[in-house]
Amino acid sequence: MLKVQPQPVLQISGKASLTGEVQISGAKNSALVIMAGALLCSQSCYLSNVPNLVDIDRLSQVLRALGVKISKKGDNLELNCQDLSQYDAPYEIVSQLRASFFIIGPLLTRLGIARIPLPGGCAIGARPVDLHVRGLKAMGAEVFIEHGIVHAQLKGNHKKLQGARIYLDYPSVGATETLMMAATLAEGETIIENAAQEPEVVDLANFCRAMGAQIKGAGTPTIAITGVERLHAVEYTIIPDRIEAGTFLVAGAITQSEISLYPVIPEHLRAVNAKLRTMGVQIIKEDTQRLRLIPGVLKPTDIETLPYPGFPTDMQAQFMALLSVTQGNSVVTETVFENRLAHVAELNRMGANIRVKGHYALISGVSQLSGAPVMATDLRASAALVLAGLAAEGTTIMQGLHHLDRGYDDLEGKLRKLGANIQRTTLETPLF
Ligand code: EPZ
């Protein structure tokens, strides 16, 4: 008889009412790339406000395998890359974390060689790395893929990567970050055009500049980097996570609750706040790092995900949950990833009325969702299902917590502090 492993699940009691202030953690998508950026420095980097996430632990494993000494105390992380020697990233760890690919730029520009397993696709899309590879080749690297491994090394007698002018066909966050890091120790100037402008790109640039890198224009479509000889030790604080903050704003809106968030950087939430205000929610900037949400009668709206400063794809699933209980018709268009609407089927199991046509989701708001057993399909979908569970009538049981734990630092604990009735428990037999 097949022994079924007990399933960790979240049990969420609906029609929650929240109150109080939630503390926002450091940004996952900053911390991960800045940890890779630490490889550029041959001394120690001291990072603070690092979130406690599975993805952070996995990247730490990859870096340790390369010879990096890492110690974590609470939300502080010390990385000493003095003895960086390995350039082969271990497949069994890299295959669990796509963000491991961020190490290719630093390894190549620091050691002149890097061998990284090609990151696989994931639930939301194929996640190709052609823009990263094309840019590194433009900087004089020899890059080829063999047996699923990306081999990158300096050409012939080159001692360093060469500065280049690179135009990105798409403002890819990862490609911008890979090439910006590679350029910090290259020969001469690199210009990245049509660069990503996300706050996490700016955070990485500020971290590299704090180590002595010469970078101008981060946060605009054109970034100029002038290579330097070496980068020095640094202490750096990661910015607050704008996507976690946005997730809690939706938690307040979907449960008609007044809550506040701290710390946040309001400018990073401009598109999200504009959408919530359009929907009838009040967002008040209480001080430079504190937002207060005052709920209102929700009005339907249309959303199109775009590169920053457009509406973030990482907030699409959460807004889908909110729009599913907003009277009227709304349209969500996902333009960034090719398969990021899997949460629609699960929301419909809870009584939502959403139809998918290609990249479009047509939502007809219902007055009430009903709690149900659901399966998370990816990181932000898991957050969306928690939000739907908070608003639904009855109890929702969510499986697939490994997705949630990759990107949220104690989401259920923070929601409980706001008054939600949400518990992590195990089911002896899977629900379905
Ligand atoms: C980063 O992924 C984030 N991850 C994602 O967050 C986020 O959704 C995404 O940026 C967009 O904002 C991290 O920072 C660790 P992209 P990344 O390169 O860098 C295509 C989350 O939920 N593309 O901007 O992989 C790609 O297929 C995660 O926290 C190429 O075609 O995103 C996609 O369609 C999910 N070729 C689009 O660009 C390439 O070489 C955007 O991808 C690279 C990307």
Side-chain angles (χ1 to χ4, degrees):
M1 168 71 169
L2 184 66
K3 179 100 179 71
V4 178
Q5 291 300 324
Q7 284 283 335
V9 296
L10 274 186
Q11 188 166 306
I12 308 152
S13 301
K15 302 197 78 57
S17 175
L18 309 179
T19 179
E21 178 163 287
V22 59
Q23 175 155 2
I24 301 299
S25 301
K28 165 180 87 79
N29 292 346
S30 261
L32 289 170
V33 71
I34 285 174
M35 284 169 70
L39 290 171
L40 294 165
C41 170
S42 44
Q43 299 168 339
S44 284
C45 293
Y46 302 86
L47 305 180
S48 49
N49 202 33
V50 177
N52 290 296
L53 304 171
V54 167
D55 275 6
I56 298 289
D57 298 341
R58 283 184 177 149
L59 186 55
S60 298
Q61 281 180 297
V62 173
L63 297 179
R64 284 195 181 97
L66 299 174
V68 179
K69 293 186 185 63
I70 299 187
S71 63
K72 187 163 177 22
K73 291 186 189 67
D75 66 1
N76 298 313
L77 199 61
E78 180 189 348
L79 301 101
N80 182 327
C81 306
Q82 210 151 358
D83 303 334
L84 180 68
S85 51
Q86 292 298 315
Y87 50 79
D88 263 312
Y91 173 77
E92 61 285 352
I93 313 174
V94 169
S95 57
Q96 297 180 51
L97 176 66
R98 294 195 66 269
S100 313
F101 196 71
F102 280 138
I103 64 178
I104 191 167
L107 276 188
L108 182 59
T109 204
R110 179 94 190 272
L111 300 180
I113 185 167
R115 283 209 201 110
I116 318 284
L118 196 57
C122 69
I124 63 176
R127 314 295 293 274
V129 290
D130 56 306
L131 298 176
H132 301 241
V133 172
R134 212 181 302 161
L136 292 174
K137 283 182 173 173
M139 295 175 75
E142 209 168 0
V143 188
F144 59 95
I145 296 170
E146 200 173 58
H147 308 307
I149 304 281
V150 179
H151 297 255
Q153 57 199 40
L154 297 183
K155 259 188 199 145
N157 55 358
H158 279 169
K159 292 266 175 290
K160 289 185 165 190
L161 287 175
Q162 304 302 307
R165 178 177 285 273
I166 301 162
Y167 180 84
L168 293 178
D169 291 355
Y170 185 91
S172 153
V173 172
T176 302
E177 292 167 340
T178 288
L179 299 173
M180 186 163 75
M181 290 190 285
T184 57
L185 297 175
E187 193 70 53
E189 182 176 55
T190 298
I191 307 275
I192 305 172
E193 293 182 297
N194 196 27
Q197 304 174 59
E198 272 70 2
E200 294 75 26
V201 173
V202 178
D203 210 23
L204 172 66
N206 291 338
F207 166 73
C208 292
R209 284 150 49 111
M211 289 195 290
Q214 290 185 21
I215 301 174
K216 289 198 194 73
T220 77
T222 304
I223 303 177
I225 307 105
T226 303
V228 294
E229 270 309 304
R230 70 181 54 74
L231 297 175
H232 56 73
V234 72
E235 292 182 11
Y236 193 78
T237 300
I238 306 291
I239 56 172
D241 193 314
R242 64 191 167 103
I243 304 301
E244 184 190 25
T247 304
F248 276 100
L249 288 172
V250 173
I254 204 169
T255 58
Q256 293 291 316
S257 306
E258 183 172 332
I259 58 170
S260 58
L261 291 72
Y262 174 86
V264 296
I265 300 177
E267 298 73 58
H268 292 170
L269 286 154
R270 203 171 281 132
V272 167
N273 289 344
K275 269 300 158 191
L276 286 169
R277 289 183 177 121
T278 307
M279 292 181 69
V281 176
Q282 280 185 71
I283 309 278
I284 297 162
K285 192 171 165 185
E286 288 208 315
D287 62 41
T288 52
Q289 292 197 27
R290 183 174 271 105
L291 289 179
R292 169 172 292 281
L293 176 138
I294 299 178
V297 177
L298 295 171
K299 295 190 279 279
T301 187
D302 294 344
I303 285 173
E304 181 180 18
T305 64
L306 290 167
Y308 196 91
F311 186 91
T313 174
D314 293 348
M315 282 300 303
Q316 179 259 102
Q318 300 91 313
F319 267 74
M320 183 88 73
L322 182 61
L323 292 168
S324 68
V325 290
T326 299
Q327 292 302 327
N329 295 323
S330 305
V331 180
V332 170
T333 310
E334 173 54 59
T335 73
V336 176
F337 288 107
E338 67 267 31
N339 187 32
R340 204 172 196 176
L341 296 171
H343 42 279
V344 168
E346 295 305 300
L347 288 170
N348 285 341
R349 289 171 51 78
M350 298 177 71
N353 181 357
I354 308 170
R355 285 178 300 134
V356 173
K357 295 267 176 249
H359 282 257
Y360 302 96
L362 314 174
I363 303 148
S364 177
V366 296
S367 54
Q368 182 74 60
L369 292 176
S370 57
V374 291
M375 173 65 79
T377 50
D378 58 77
L379 168 55
R380 304 305 173 180
S382 55
L385 293 172
V386 170
L387 298 175
L390 292 173
E393 192 278 323
T395 302
T396 295
I397 307 270
M398 184 175 82
Q399 295 181 90
L401 300 195
H402 56 286
H403 293 296
L404 187 74
D405 295 340
R406 285 190 43 222
Y408 284 92
D409 186 347
D410 191 20
L411 181 67
E412 70 261 26
K414 292 178 179 175
L415 284 168
R416 257 201 309 277
K417 269 202 191 127
L418 291 176
N421 181 352
I422 177 170
Q423 312 297 334
R424 185 174 290 234
T425 178
T426 50
L427 280 183
E428 287 316 309
T429 51
L431 293 161
F432 43 87

